[in-house]
Amino acid sequence: MLKGMFKGLMERFDRMMGRGFIDDEFYEDLEEALLQADTSVTVTHEILEELRKAVREEKITQPGDMKERLKTAIATRFGQQTAVGLELAPEGLEPSVFLFVGVNGVGKTTTIAKVANLLRKHGLTVIMAAGDTFRAAAIEQLETWADRSGAEIVRSQPGSDSSSVIYDAIQAAKARKIDVVLADTAGRQHSKAHLMTELQKVAKVTEKALGRKADEILLVLDANTGQNAIRQAEEFTKAVGITGLVLTKLDGTARGGALIGIYNKFKIPIKLIGLGEKMDDLKDFKPKDFVAQLFD
Ligand SMILES: Nc1nc2c(ncn2[C@@H]2O[C@H](COP(=O)(O)OP(=O)(O)OP(=O)(O)O)[C@@H](O)[C@H]2O)c(=O)[nH]1
Ligand SMILES: [Mg+2]
């Protein structure tokens, strides 16, 4: 599933392996491949330095051994994350509330469908809040997913206030003893101050309805966005306290390099990864497995 990511890197690696020895050209090829996958210049140079050091100190001579080194170098940059999963509400304080935020088209609504599907399979009841009130189509899209996953939905008229819809959904969940509220929000550019202010209001209203902060505020990032994902993480973190990242569209990206280092920079756990458009295409994030898949 992850074949697309670092495709260029893998092809180049195979060519380097073909040469059977490590030379300057090897490092140059590796550098170019990492940069082409949109790995930042800093992270690329750190990785190269690490590999050169390993070659010197451990007398590595074969590109094949280097591949293992590279895997480790990438995996450590995702930190010691184990799949902790989503944070549910403390016992007795249900419902759990998860807000999904991010720029346009990254996969927020699809991820909500996938998470609803997962929760339903675990026997939890789910209510979706149609907090993307900008477009009628967005509300209909969520309704379709609610039907398919067996979730309920709270919706309002297009153009109505996003935070009131989410407020209503939380109240409905309390009244009907529903386990989890999944709140959709409209896609918003991280550079638009008024939209980020609106998001702060959503977070505040959620807190008011719930008596505590949302259990998760998940920033959804499209793996294809390259280094701009870092900017998005910066701005969304500043506006609202992001508790976890969801990385989507990993099934088709050749620019996943930007994601190396995103954990290191923000120390926000990557909670879920999206690997397709269907409800089952969602996985926990485990750095080692993830990196192993990239290389195999
Ligand atoms: N290949 C692939 N496509 C995905 C994935 N997640 C979402 N998509 C697709 O990306 C497109 C946008 O997904 P949405 O869920 O509507 O994105 P959104 O963030 O809700 O978009 P807005 O509400 O317009 O901001 C759809 O065509 C989805 O099917 C994924 O993990 N892999
Ligand atoms: Mg959406």
Side-chain angles (χ1 to χ4, degrees), residues 31-239:
E31 176 175 17
E32 203 182 318
L34 284 167
L35 291 173
Q36 265 175 12
D38 241 319
T39 316
S40 78
V41 175
T42 316
V43 172
T44 299
H45 287 163
E46 277 173 18
I47 290 176
L48 285 171
E49 202 36 57
E50 228 172 272
L51 294 182
R52 281 181 192 277
K53 190 158 170 265
V55 167
R56 270 199 313 272
E57 291 178 359
E58 293 162 40
K59 314 252 183 299
I60 294 174
T61 53
Q62 295 302 311
D65 297 333
M66 191 70 120
K67 200 170 187 176
E68 285 310 308
R69 279 293 167 169
L70 180 62
K71 274 193 208 174
T72 311
I74 293 176
T76 48
R77 278 171 178 76
F78 285 113
Q80 292 304 313
Q81 301 184 63
T82 49
V84 283
L86 299 169
E87 195 72 40
L88 290 169
E91 188 84 45
L93 292 180
E94 292 81 1
S96 307
V97 177
F98 304 158
L99 292 180
F100 292 78
V101 305
V103 306
N104 310 76
V106 287
K108 294 175 293 299
T109 307
T110 310
T111 303
I112 288 180
K114 293 173 180 176
V115 172
N117 181 50
L118 188 78
L119 295 170
R120 295 291 298 132
K121 279 188 180 164
H122 281 83
L124 296 169
T125 48
V126 174
I127 198 163
M128 294 179 182
D132 180 354
T133 51
F134 277 7
R135 297 170 297 124
I139 301 171
E140 284 155 25
Q141 184 192 4
L142 196 70
E143 222 155 29
T144 308
W145 284 123
D147 279 347
R148 271 193 234 169
S149 59
E152 295 188 38
I153 184 167
V154 168
R155 51 169 292 177
S156 183
Q157 298 312 310
S160 60
D161 181 27
S162 174
S163 23
S164 352
V165 178
I166 296 171
Y167 187 92
D168 290 348
I170 295 171
Q171 299 308 346
K174 283 183 183 171
R176 296 182 222 160
K177 304 219 179 305
I178 285 169
D179 298 312
V180 185
V181 179
L182 301 177
D184 198 12
T185 62
R188 65 196 71 233
Q189 288 306 311
H190 50 294
S191 50
K192 296 259 167 70
H194 66 288
L195 295 178
M196 297 311 272
T197 308
E198 188 200 61
L199 193 60
Q200 288 173 327
K201 186 180 162 199
V202 167
K204 268 194 207 124
V205 169
T206 300
E207 193 171 345
K208 194 169 146 223
L210 200 58
R212 64 172 189 279
K213 285 188 169 39
D215 300 290
E216 296 278 9
I217 303 183
L218 297 165
L219 175 63
V220 183
L221 296 171
D222 176 340
N224 295 288
T225 26
Q227 285 296 318
N228 192 257
I230 309 277
R231 293 284 305 137
Q232 293 168 24
E234 248 155 25
E235 294 304 322
F236 276 92
T237 308
K238 233 189 283 169

Side-chain angles (χ1 to χ4, degrees), residues 239-251:
V240 288
I242 301 297
T243 60
L245 303 175
V246 180
L247 310 179
T248 61
K249 311 191 193 183
L250 281 163
D251 48 307

